[in-house]
Amino acid sequence: MRRSQRPDDRRNDSSARSRGCPPVPGNLPAELTAFVGRTAELAALRTALVSARLVTVTGVGGVGKSRLAARVAAEIGPRDGAWLVELAPVRDPELVEHAVASALDLTDHTRRSPRQVLLDRLAGRELLLIVDGFEHLVDATASLVRDLLLRCPGLRVLAAGRRPLDTTGERVMPLAPMPEQDAAELFTDRAASCLPGFAPAGRDRADVLELCRRLDGIPLALELAAGRLRALSPGQLLARLDDRFRLLAGAPRDVPPRHQTLRTAIGWSHELCTARERLLWARLSVFSGPFDLEAVEYVCSGDGLHADDVLDVLDELLAQSVVSREESPTGVRYRMLDTVRAYGAEWLEAAGDAARMRRRHRDWYMGLATWCELDWFSPRQAEVATLVECELPNLRAALEFCLTDPEETHLGQYLAGTLWFCWVGCGRLAEGRHWLDRAVELDGAHEDSRLKALWVLGYVAILQGDTVPALCALQECQDTAERTGSAVATAYAVHRLGCLALVTDDMPRAERLLRTALEQYRQLGELNSNVLMGQVELAMALAFQGALGDAVELCEDVRRVCEDHGERWALAYALYVLGYAAWTRGEQGHARDLVTRCLDLDHAFHDLLGTVLAVELLALFTVSEGDAAEAAVLQGVAARIWPSVGLPLFGSEHFGGPHALCEARARQRLGDEGYEGYVRAGTELAPDAAVSRARRRQRAAAEARRPGRGEAALPPQAPETREPAASPTTRGGETAG
C-alpha cells in the first residue's frame, strides 16, 4: 500500500485522479467499490469549494457524506494535497489537534502545542483538509478549523458530519438520500459483488425498487441489504424489512464501527443527543410524512418537555440531521426518514408512552380535520385542499389508530366522515371508500358518528357508480336517523338518496327527494358546499326533464352564493350546467368560457370526476364547432380518466347523452376508423396535457371555429332527446381518487 505523502511533498498525480485514485500527495483511501450516482451533488460540492473555504456536508448517518467528500477531494486535490482526518474514533476533545497533526503526518518534538504546530506548518500551504465524523467533538473541531482558516490562507476545509460546525464563513450542504433509480443502481452493483450476475428483472426489479423506497435511499442501508442477498431473494428481504435493524447487520470488517450495522449508524446520532432531544426524537416518531411546528408543539410537549422549549429542541435535531426541513405549499414543514423514525419508535415503545402519544397525535389531526371541514365553505377552500394533501399521511395514521382500537372506533367513524370533502372534493374517492367501509363495519356505540360515516359512504359509492352498496348505506342511515331523531343525518340521507335516483335515471324521484332535502336544510339553517351541490343536482334533474330555464335559475343562485362565500368547488359544477345551457342557446363562445373555467377549477382541486365531465362537454362543443378530430381526441382523454373515477357516466342514459351525440357526429365526419384512431391518440394524453390542450383551444376559439379540414362548421345543436349534458354534477361533483 502506498505510503501517505507529507504536506511538504508537492507532487501531483493527475492521471491517478482521473482513474478515481487518491491524488498525491495526500492520504485519501483508494476506492474499492464503484461510486454510483450523485452527479448533481458532486458538481454542487465542487462549485461550493471554489467560492467557500469551509464547506460542511451534513446528513443522517449512512447517507454517504464521507464517500462524497472523499470523491470530490480526490478530483480537486490542490497543490499540497487532500488529507483526511477521521475524528469518529477520537473521544477526548483535547485530542482533536493531535488527530489532525497525525493525519497530516506532522511530527514535532518541541513543547509547542499541536495547534501551534499546525498553524506554523500549514501557513503558506495550499491543501484541502477533509474532517470526517466530528459531530461528537463539534466545539473543539470548530475552534481549530476557525483558527486554521484565519492563519492559513491557502487552506480549505471540507467537513462531513451529522451537523454543521456553526462557524463563520461555513457553507452547509445538506446531503439527501439517493433518488430511487440511483439507489436501485447502487443496490444492484453491491448485490452483484456477493451474488455474481445479479440483474433484477420483472418481479425482482419491482421488489428492488420497493426496497430502495422503504430504506429511504440511504446508501448504508442499501449496501447492508444487498449483502443479505447471499441468503434471501429481494422479495424475501422485503418481507422481513419491518425488523430492519436486526436484518441489516453484518457489514465488512473494514467498515468503520459506527457503520457496521444500521442500528449502530442511527444509534451514533442518538448517543450525541441530550435527554430532551432523545425524548423529542421518540415522540416525533408518531408522525407520518411531513409535519409542522404547531403539530409538534401540541403533540410532543409535556411530561419533561415544555411547549416553550420544543422549538429549541427541534432546532437541535435539525442541526444533527435527525430531522430535515422542507418547503411545502403550506409553509415550512419537517420530516424524519422512515429509518430514523423507526429507531425513535422503538424508544417510544420501550418508554411505554406510545399509546398516549398516538392519542395526542389523533386528537391534533381530528381537530385539524374538523377545522378543514368548516373552512371548506369559505375563501380558504383552496388552502384547505392543499393542506389536506400535505397532511394525508398523518390523517391516515390517525384513522388507522382509531379503527384498530375498539375504544376509538367512534372517533374513526367521525374522522372518516368529516373528511368527506377530501374524498369527494379532492379526487380521493377510492381511498375514502376504503376508510368508510372499514369504519361502518365496526360498532362504535356512538350513533352520530356512524350516521355521518354512512351518508358519506353512500355519497362516495354513488360517485363510483356502485349503486347497491350506496343504497344500503343510505337506507340504513335514514332509518336510524329517523328512529333516533337526528334531523341533520336524515336530511343528508334524503339528499344522497336523491343523488342516487339522479344517476339511475329516475328523475321524478330525484326531484322529489332533492327538494325535500333542500327544505330540510333550510329549516336546520344548514348552508355549506353540500347544500349548494344539492341545488346543482336538483338543477340536473330539472334539466333532464326539459326544464332548462329552472335549472339555470338554480345554478345562477348557486353561483351568487359561491361568489359571496368564496366557494369554488361547487361553483365548478354550477358553471358546468350554465355552460351547457349557453351552448343550447347557441352562445358557443360563452359556453366554452364557462366550461373551460369549470375545468380549471376541477383540475386545481384534483377533482377527476368534475374534470372528466368538463372534458366530455368540451368534446361536444368541439364537434359542434366543426373539429371532429379534436372532439374524438377529447373523448379519448375522457376514456382514460373514467377508470380512475368509477362507472363511466354512471351508466346513465341522461349523463351519457352528450357523449353519445358527440360520438355520433364525430364518427359521421371521420368514419369509424378515423374516429377510433383519434380516440386512441387521446387515451395517450395525461389529464394535465388535456387541460393544457383545452386552454390552448380556448385562447384560439375563433380560429378553431373557422371551417377547416374540408368540413363546414355546423351550427350548435341541442341534444335531441333526454340529452341535457346538464352536468353529471349530479352529485356533488366530486372526484375519484
Side-chain angles (χ1 to χ4, degrees), residues 108-162:
D108 186 89
H109 300 295
T110 70
R111 298 187 62 183
R112 293 183 301 170
S113 69
R115 179 170 301 203
Q116 190 59 51
V117 172
L118 287 167
L119 291 171
D120 291 345
R121 300 288 291 275
L122 297 184
R125 305 299 183 189
E126 294 181 8
L127 59 81
L128 177 65
L129 187 65
I130 304 97
V131 181
D132 189 22
F134 62 82
E135 45 274 303
H136 59 305
L137 302 166
V138 65
D139 292 336
T141 305
S143 173
L144 175 61
V145 167
R146 183 167 49 248
D147 280 0
L148 290 174
L149 289 173
L150 285 171
R151 299 276 298 277
C152 306
L155 174 69
R156 293 182 184 274
V157 177
L158 174 54
R162 305 184 190 206

Side-chain angles (χ1 to χ4, degrees), residues 184 187-188 191 195 197-212 229 232-238:
F187 180 90
T188 301
L195 196 67
F198 179 74
R203 180 69 258 175
D204 280 350
R205 173 67 179 172
D207 289 339
V208 166
L209 291 174
E210 179 64 12
L211 273 168
C212 294
L229 292 188
L232 301 172
S233 70
Q236 290 173 316
L237 183 57
L238 187 61

Side-chain angles (χ1 to χ4, degrees), residues 91-403:
R91 285 290 179 248
D92 187 345
E94 295 185 2
L95 295 179
V96 169
E97 297 162 1
H98 293 277
V100 174
S102 176
L104 289 166
D105 203 13
L106 298 178
T107 57
D108 186 89
H109 300 295
T110 70
R111 298 187 62 183
R112 293 183 301 170
S113 69
R115 179 170 301 203
Q116 190 59 51
V117 172
L118 287 167
L119 291 171
D120 291 345
R121 300 288 291 275
L122 297 184
R125 305 299 183 189
E126 294 181 8
L127 59 81
L128 177 65
L129 187 65
I130 304 97
V131 181
D132 189 22
F134 62 82
E135 45 274 303
H136 59 305
L137 302 166
V138 65
D139 292 336
T141 305
S143 173
L144 175 61
V145 167
R146 183 167 49 248
D147 280 0
L148 290 174
L149 289 173
L150 285 171
R151 299 276 298 277
C152 306
L155 174 69
R156 293 182 184 274
V157 177
L158 174 54
R162 305 184 190 206
R163 59 167 304 146
L165 285 166
D166 288 328
T167 190
T168 304
E170 179 182 32
R171 177 171 296 184
V172 179
M173 179 179 157
L175 184 61
M178 301 182 80
E180 185 177 277
Q181 292 302 322
D182 284 353
E185 182 182 350
L186 176 67
F187 180 90
T188 301
D189 178 84
R190 301 304 190 259
S193 66
C194 64
L195 196 67
F198 179 74
R203 180 69 258 175
D204 280 350
R205 173 67 179 172
D207 289 339
V208 166
L209 291 174
E210 179 64 12
L211 273 168
C212 294
R213 187 191 66 79
R214 293 275 304 277
L215 292 173
D216 299 308
I218 299 176
L220 171 63
L222 296 170
E223 294 187 355
L224 292 172
R228 285 296 187 183
L229 292 188
R230 283 187 290 263
L232 301 172
S233 70
Q236 290 173 316
L237 183 57
L238 187 61
R240 294 167 178 259
L241 206 55
D242 286 341
D243 190 7
R244 67 184 69 190
F245 295 116
R246 183 178 63 84
L247 180 66
L248 302 184
R253 294 182 181 86
D254 58 349
V255 171
R258 69 185 191 278
H259 283 170
Q260 287 184 359
T261 71
L262 188 60
R263 181 185 296 279
T264 304
I266 304 301
W268 174 259
S269 292
H270 197 260
E271 289 179 13
L272 298 176
C273 292
T274 65
R276 291 196 308 172
E277 290 161 9
R278 293 177 185 178
L279 181 62
L280 183 56
W281 181 346
R283 291 178 177 179
L284 289 175
S285 69
V286 300
F287 289 100
S288 296
F291 46 88
D292 62 22
L293 178 59
E294 289 76 14
V296 175
E297 289 175 330
Y298 175 84
V299 175
C300 299
S301 62
D303 291 340
L305 185 60
H306 195 279
D308 292 341
D309 297 330
V310 166
L311 177 57
D312 291 337
V313 180
L314 178 63
D315 189 58
E316 279 302 308
L317 292 180
L318 284 163
Q320 297 181 61
S321 303
V322 173
V323 177
S324 61
R325 178 187 187 274
E326 61 184 39
E327 295 289 341
S328 79
T330 61
V332 174
R333 302 178 76 78
Y334 310 97
R335 181 189 293 274
M336 295 175 76
L337 295 176
D338 286 345
T339 302
V340 176
R341 179 184 292 109
Y343 193 92
E346 286 190 358
W347 279 79
L348 190 64
E349 288 287 351
D353 204 23
R356 184 182 72 88
M357 292 308 302
R358 292 190 71 189
R359 281 194 295 273
R360 289 182 65 85
H361 176 274
R362 184 276 320 283
D363 291 345
W364 175 263
Y365 287 100
M366 188 82 73
L368 180 74
T370 301
W371 173 83
C372 286
E373 182 187 31
L374 293 172
D375 253 19
W376 181 255
F377 186 60
S378 80
R380 294 177 293 279
Q381 192 175 55
E383 176 187 334
V384 169
T386 301
L387 178 60
V388 168
E389 182 71 22
C390 290
E391 295 289 11
L392 263 178
N394 284 299
L395 289 166
R396 290 168 181 152
L399 282 164
E400 187 66 33
F401 174 67
C402 292
L403 297 179

Side-chain angles (χ1 to χ4, degrees), residues 496-518:
R496 299 310 166 195
L497 285 167
C499 294
L500 183 58
L502 184 65
V503 301
T504 54
D505 292 335
D506 189 347
M507 295 306 138
R509 175 176 168 79
E511 180 183 353
R512 175 173 58 80
L513 290 171
L514 289 168
R515 288 190 185 279
T516 299
L518 289 170

